[in-house]
Amino acid sequence: MRLLHTSRLILETPTDGQPYAILSHRWLADHKELSFQDLQRTQVPPKEGPHGFKKFQGARDRASLDGLDYIWIDTCCIDKTSSAELSEAINSMYAWYRDSAVCYVYLHDVGTEEDPQSGFEDTDWFQRGWTLQELIAPDNVYFFNKNWIMIGSKASFASTLSEITHIRQDVLLGNPYVPSIAEKMSWAAGRKTQKIEDRAYSLMGLFGIHMPIIYGEGEKAFRRLQLEIMKSSDDQTIFAWHDSLDYPNPVRNRGLLASAP
């Protein structure tokens, strides 16, 4: 796991369990995000896009302010040109968020001068597939608006978050509770991912599953996920689903396994 040093702005691989912050955010277009390749340069160039750089800079500054020497940002801490590294990262991502000292959620579409919290309930962050595990896995989650003003935490927003995401407050607050497979799947229903395979890959950590990453396999990824879940659980609620018109399919699913959450 590579981490960005918040003062030296270089990627390092600490071996002594250094505490780190981690960023959760809504990806912009790839060309607007700071990449792994960008960080190989001597300096981080602001020309990579005003939003991507502002987000990067704000996350780094916040981690430094919180006394943390390291931060993990998915856009630039993974070499996505390496399929092996990308596969390892996707299989490890839930654990990386879980083990972080703090998770900063940056909401690029929230906040006005009059109301820093304006638009929170409608932010696009709640509609994305990958952000589900990024909400659940870390203990300490703090929300920031587009100007990097802190507007609340997972603990302080627990009631509102539960209403928006339909996730029980006990789950959000880390209280003892074991949700069924069907309940976990319901949290992901309707969330969007850029790639169809990521519907499955973004849920692996939530179910404690590890499997090969094969972009190009399409809906087979979600079927593979369900088969892996069945190997480790006898929870029959995995079959409690109905096919949704949100994911058009020329041949409607009539098997035991769902084609989407």
Side-chain angles (χ1 to χ4, degrees):
M1 179 186 191
R2 294 193 192 89
L3 295 172
L4 176 70
H5 196 283
T6 55
S7 60
R8 294 196 292 268
L9 291 182
I10 58 175
L11 292 171
E12 300 179 354
T13 307
T15 58
D16 53 354
Q18 287 284 338
Y20 61 91
I22 200 164
L23 178 67
S24 175
H25 63 108
R26 169 72 166 93
W27 270 61
L28 305 171
D30 285 344
H31 70 278
K32 292 184 178 180
E33 299 284 3
L34 289 171
S35 69
F36 172 82
Q37 284 69 31
D38 293 327
L39 289 186
Q40 306 313 298
R41 306 172 188 173
T42 305
Q43 296 181 339
V44 179
K47 65 183 181 181
E48 294 301 324
H51 298 292
F53 183 74
K54 178 181 178 182
K55 177 168 53 180
F56 170 92
Q57 191 174 43
R60 180 203 66 183
D61 291 349
R62 183 69 204 191
S64 182
L65 181 65
D66 288 342
L68 294 168
D69 291 331
Y70 293 100
I71 186 169
W72 188 84
I73 302 174
D74 56 356
T75 58
C76 57
C77 290
I78 305 171
D79 182 1
K80 298 173 189 64
T81 64
S82 168
S83 58
E85 182 171 330
L86 181 61
S87 179
E88 179 184 2
I90 290 176
N91 274 279
S92 305
M93 206 166 292
Y94 186 92
W96 290 350
Y97 276 90
R98 181 196 63 207
D99 296 340
S100 64
V102 60
C103 175
Y104 306 136
V105 177
Y106 176 72
L107 306 173
H108 74 282
D109 52 357
V110 170
T112 64
E113 291 184 4
E114 296 76 19
D115 181 4
Q117 198 173 315
S118 175
F120 177 74
E121 295 184 1
D122 299 318
T123 177
D124 194 39
W125 189 84
F126 290 122
Q127 306 302 319
R128 309 308 300 175
W130 286 105
T131 58
L132 175 59
Q133 67 175 4
E134 296 164 13
L135 172 64
I136 293 175
D139 288 333
N140 300 308
V141 179
Y142 294 91
F143 295 90
F144 296 81
N145 71 9
K146 62 184 179 182
N147 295 317
W148 275 102
I149 297 173
M150 185 190 298
I151 58 175
S153 67
K154 180 162 68 169
S156 66
F157 280 164
S159 177
T160 299
L161 291 171
S162 182
E163 291 181 11
I164 296 171
T165 64
H166 307 295
I167 301 171
R168 294 173 187 256
Q169 290 191 49
D170 282 336
V171 175
L172 296 171
L173 297 175
N175 297 330
Y177 175 73
V178 181
S180 67
I181 291 175
E183 184 173 358
K184 288 184 178 181
M185 288 293 186
S186 73
W187 303 337
R191 287 177 176 255
K192 308 298 182 183
T193 57
Q194 186 175 5
K195 296 181 179 179
I196 189 172
E197 296 87 353
D198 285 337
R199 292 185 210 160
Y201 302 158
S202 63
L203 296 176
M204 292 194 302
L206 198 62
F207 290 101
I209 297 299
H210 298 277
M211 64 185 197
I213 305 303
I214 310 172
Y215 282 112
E217 67 175 328
E219 291 185 353
K220 291 181 180 178
F222 193 71
R223 295 178 185 276
R224 278 202 299 128
L225 173 69
Q226 293 169 92
L227 291 172
E228 290 298 322
I229 293 172
M230 291 167 62
K231 291 178 183 178
S232 60
S233 173
D234 58 2
D235 182 352
Q236 299 297 302
T237 67
I238 193 171
F239 303 118
W241 59 272
H242 65 87
D243 217 358
S244 171
L245 295 178
D246 289 340
Y247 298 102
N249 191 323
V251 179
R252 303 311 300 165
N253 196 331
R254 293 294 181 267
L256 288 175
L257 301 180
S259 58

